[in-house]
Amino acid sequence: LQWLRNPGPQHEKRTLFGDMVCFLFITPLATISGWLCLRGAVDHLHFSSRLEAVGLIALTVALFTIYLFWTLVSFRYHCRLYNEWRRTNQRVILLIPKSANVLSNQQSLLGLQSLKRNSKETVV
């Protein structure tokens, strides 16, 4: 969620949103189309031409192959973008203690501050 809130390149966010919308529309359409093609192939095997049944089965295999290829390429692309973002957008806060007493006080306060601190920050 930090990546979506980050004021970085809007093109990557639009691409992710577009791919999610396409995935939500294409998944049920591919499922229904595949089921209808297989159902038609079964009907053609029982009542009609085997050639049409083989054609419908080939169409189903092609449909699901294209769907899986698109899904995997899209997923890999967005994972690569996310990993690149994680590598280049790290926020680190370095705390340097002044003495041993201050260190123990800071450690006790650090426990309280970590509850208030955003998850964007890393304490080192």
Side-chain angles (χ1 to χ4, degrees):
L1 292 177
Q2 286 179 351
W3 179 73
L4 292 174
R5 287 184 280 182
N6 187 19
Q10 293 297 318
H11 171 73
E12 295 172 358
K13 294 173 190 168
R14 281 193 300 266
T15 304
L16 176 64
F17 180 71
D19 283 347
M20 287 187 334
V21 168
C22 288
F23 182 78
L24 291 175
F25 281 119
I26 290 174
T27 299
L29 290 175
T31 304
I32 291 169
S33 298
W35 181 78
L36 288 172
C37 285
L38 290 177
R39 187 74 181 150
V42 169
D43 289 344
H44 279 292
L45 280 175
H46 289 293
F47 302 113
S48 184
S49 164
R50 288 183 187 253
L51 184 61
E52 290 176 7
V54 171
L56 285 171
I57 291 171
L59 180 64
T60 304
V61 169
L63 174 73
F64 282 117
T65 301
I66 292 168
Y67 171 75
L68 287 175
F69 178 74
W70 173 79
T71 303
L72 290 174
V73 167
S74 178
F75 184 73
R76 184 172 178 247
Y77 171 74
H78 292 294
C79 285
R80 193 192 70 192
L81 283 180
Y82 174 71
N83 287 332
E84 182 179 322
W85 175 82
R86 271 187 39 196
R87 190 171 17 99
T88 58
N89 290 298
Q90 296 180 5
R91 186 172 178 185
V92 178
I93 297 174
L94 183 61
L95 299 176
I96 301 174
K98 294 180 183 171
S99 69
N101 286 339
V102 174
L103 178 62
S104 63
N105 288 339
Q106 283 181 348
Q107 285 177 342
S108 64
L109 290 176
L110 186 60
L112 295 173
Q113 289 176 351
S114 65
L115 295 174
K116 298 177 186 176
R117 196 176 296 275
N118 286 340
S119 62
K120 294 179 190 177
E121 300 172 348
T122 303
V123 177
V124 180

